[in-house]
Amino acid sequence: MGVRPSSIARTGKQSALPQEQLFDTHPEVSLDFEVVRQAARQKYTRPFLILDNAIVREKALRLRAAMPRVRPHYAVKANPDRRVLKTLLQEGCSFEIASIAELDMLLAIGADVAEVFYSNPMKSRESISYAVAKGVEWFVVDSVDELRRVHEIKPDARMYLRIATPNIGSDWPLLGKFGAGASETREIVATAARLGADLAGATFHVGSQCRNPANWRVGIEKTRALFDTMTKAGLKPRMLDIGGGFPVRHVKPIPSIEVIGEVVNEALKAFPEEVRVVAEPGRYLVSDAAYFVCRVIGTATRGGKRWMHWDAGLFGGVIETTEGLKYRIRTERSGPDIPWHVAGPTCDSVDVILRDEPLPSDLQEGDFIYLRNAGAYTTAYASEFNGFPLPEVRIFESKR
Ligand SMILES: *Cc1c(COP(=O)(O)O)cnc(C)c1O
């Protein structure tokens, strides 16, 4: 049991369990570090992600066991590698997409497109038309404008309304951009009823790497009230999408999926059996399955401060540190920790990924850096900015 984070806020009703019992209650998996070290030693040409699909399968099973009523629709953007997508398809997952390029990947692996959720609240006309032509039926909206646009292109589209819900206690909050507020929600519902559009459900996103289970309860309660409003307006709400945000273990303690499941399962009792429930996990399904490996290009002292530059930075896949996500960083040095500034390889001044990070004093040029549980939102973000190559993605499947 780790230290209880002070930033966990409580919203709405108090949880029945004391906060400290909510954290680290179940063992979390990780890719075996020895396997990763061997892989780096055998061959290294550029930063790489090494991912074990057996762990991806395990996580999919665990999520379904924790929330039997909830079908996972994997958020492709977290890690769009084709081999990962195929594995999740085999495990009975469906998918959530942000773009038509992601849709094409799903078509290529033979996923059932009618089950794909197009959850980007702002879609171009061309993208909607393309998705409709390929058989997509479910489209998110969070504005009257988007509702009208989808309805014009596909009058019988099934739409679900994304509402704003609390993102308290999430390492990567998504609030402040997407999600309809109370007055927009009323307007969207009224417009759907007037147009005869099939506003068939609701969704919310609690924020990514969410360590506060109460956010799901609040989201589900808000959608429960919204379903009533929709029914009164003459609509037929029948799908609830509880979004993503399920956390993985880095440095701070997390509520396990089983604890979140208890909260979710209880709140879902307010919905009749015929209401279909889905989730959109991204990070949860893929992070633990992988390590991200890069190397120290060189070190420097500037203004009395120790710097090290890695061959992967903000543009090469290590971007989530910039919003405060803390990876467990492993090295093969054992010197006492000192505060380091860590930069990527580019000349861009924003390419600083960590400041005053305690790391071994004897780290030096050529050393490997291993980021644990980094299968999500690393390679997916990488670009070739400044001419540095994209990370390699090495996928295998162990016999666990
Ligand atoms: C990014 C995203 C997800 C996945 O979020 P995670 O925190 O990775 O689980 C799910 N749904 C939507 C709409 C998203 O934008």
Side-chain angles (χ1 to χ4, degrees):
M1 171 71 69
V3 185
R4 165 179 157 196
S6 57
S7 62
I8 298 300
R10 293 161 175 229
T11 54
K13 276 177 274 174
Q14 298 296 297
S15 168
L17 287 169
Q19 283 289 332
E20 51 272 32
Q21 284 180 27
L22 295 177
F23 292 95
D24 285 354
T25 52
H26 294 68
E28 301 294 334
V29 294
S30 266
L31 178 51
D32 182 359
F33 184 49
E34 269 316 304
V35 172
V36 183
R37 272 175 60 172
Q38 293 297 333
R41 291 230 177 94
Q42 265 164 23
K43 183 180 77 128
Y44 186 89
T45 53
R46 61 185 201 271
F48 69 92
L49 187 80
I50 177 166
L51 182 145
D52 182 356
N53 259 330
I55 298 180
V56 173
R57 285 188 206 283
E58 226 173 273
K59 296 294 297 262
L61 283 170
R62 189 172 159 191
L63 187 127
R64 300 195 73 157
M67 302 174 199
R69 209 180 148 179
V70 181
R71 172 139 193 237
H73 286 229
Y74 173 59
V76 174
K77 72 175 192 281
N79 186 330
D81 189 278
R82 181 189 169 103
R83 294 158 289 182
V84 171
L85 299 180
K86 273 184 148 171
T87 301
L88 288 167
L89 181 64
Q90 286 164 5
E91 291 305 316
C93 291
S94 187
F95 300 91
E96 178 270 316
I97 56 168
S99 68
I100 53 173
E102 291 182 350
L103 174 61
D104 284 341
M105 291 189 262
L106 297 176
L107 285 163
I109 63 163
D112 181 1
V113 175
E115 293 293 304
V116 167
F117 278 45
Y118 200 160
S119 286
N120 187 336
M122 184 59 74
K123 301 168 281 297
S124 73
R125 212 166 271 279
E126 294 76 18
S127 298
I128 299 166
S129 300
Y130 183 85
V132 166
K134 296 294 179 187
V136 175
E137 296 185 357
W138 290 92
F139 298 85
V140 83
V141 299
D142 76 343
S143 66
V144 169
D145 313 49
E146 188 75 0
L147 178 103
R148 287 186 186 283
R149 180 153 55 185
V150 174
H151 183 67
E152 264 172 51
I153 297 168
K154 184 172 167 64
D156 64 344
R158 294 181 197 142
M159 289 183 265
Y160 47 108
L161 171 53
R162 169 130 167 217
I163 56 166
T165 55
N167 277 202
I168 303 156
S170 297
D171 279 357
W172 196 268
L174 301 169
L175 202 63
K177 184 172 174 189
F178 294 125
S183 70
E184 294 98 42
T185 296
R186 276 192 297 277
E187 211 188 323
I188 293 165
V189 168
T191 308
R194 201 164 55 242
L195 294 175
D198 186 10
L199 192 59
T203 187
F204 58 87
H205 200 300
V206 295
S208 201
Q209 183 68 4
C210 175
R211 291 180 299 108
N212 180 11
N215 285 356
W216 279 278
R217 199 195 58 238
V218 173
I220 294 169
E221 284 170 2
K222 284 185 84 165
T223 49
R224 177 62 263 184
L226 174 59
F227 268 41
D228 293 340
T229 308
M230 288 163 88
T231 305
K232 268 190 214 124
L235 300 169
K236 294 189 181 62
R238 56 199 185 276
M239 191 286 293
L240 168 61
D241 173 353
I242 65 170
F246 309 99
V248 302
R249 187 70 159 88
H250 291 294
V251 173
K252 299 175 196 166
I254 56 162
S256 69
I257 200 73
E258 289 77 12
V259 164
I260 295 169
E262 277 175 37
V263 174
V264 165
N265 297 339
E266 184 59 34
L268 287 179
K269 286 181 186 161
F271 288 82
E273 276 305 310
E274 15 351 319
V275 171
R276 160 179 179 179
V277 187
V278 315
E280 301 178 343
R283 189 186 298 285
Y284 179 80
L285 294 174
V286 293
S287 281
D288 300 350
Y291 266 74
F292 187 86
V293 184
C294 61
R295 219 169 192 180
V296 179
I297 300 175
T299 57
T301 304
R302 299 188 189 110
K305 194 81 223 171
R306 286 298 280 158
W307 285 81
M308 73 174 99
H309 291 236
W310 297 351
D311 56 357
L314 209 120
F315 302 102
V318 190
I319 185 172
E320 290 211 295
T321 53
T322 60
E323 290 271 320
L325 189 137
K326 288 222 166 285
Y327 291 107
R328 173 79 66 207
I329 301 170
R330 304 183 77 154
T331 71
E332 287 157 283
R333 297 284 170 191
S334 52
D337 282 355
I338 59 161
W340 286 89
H341 285 355
V342 180
T346 72
C347 291
D348 197 303
S349 58
V350 307
D351 195 5
V352 178
I353 49 189
L354 293 161
R355 286 187 189 272
D356 290 319
E357 179 72 13
L359 287 167
S361 57
D362 51 346
L363 273 166
Q364 51 191 264
E365 177 185 339
D367 284 355
F368 287 119
I369 302 288
Y370 305 93
L371 306 183
R372 193 187 66 168
N373 295 355
Y377 306 115
T378 46
T379 47
Y381 268 123
S383 80
E384 291 179 296
F385 183 51
N386 272 213
F388 293 99
L390 292 175
E392 187 188 342
V393 184
R394 304 187 195 174
I395 310 250
F396 71 106
E397 181 149 356
S398 68
K399 294 189 181 60
R400 290 176 65 86

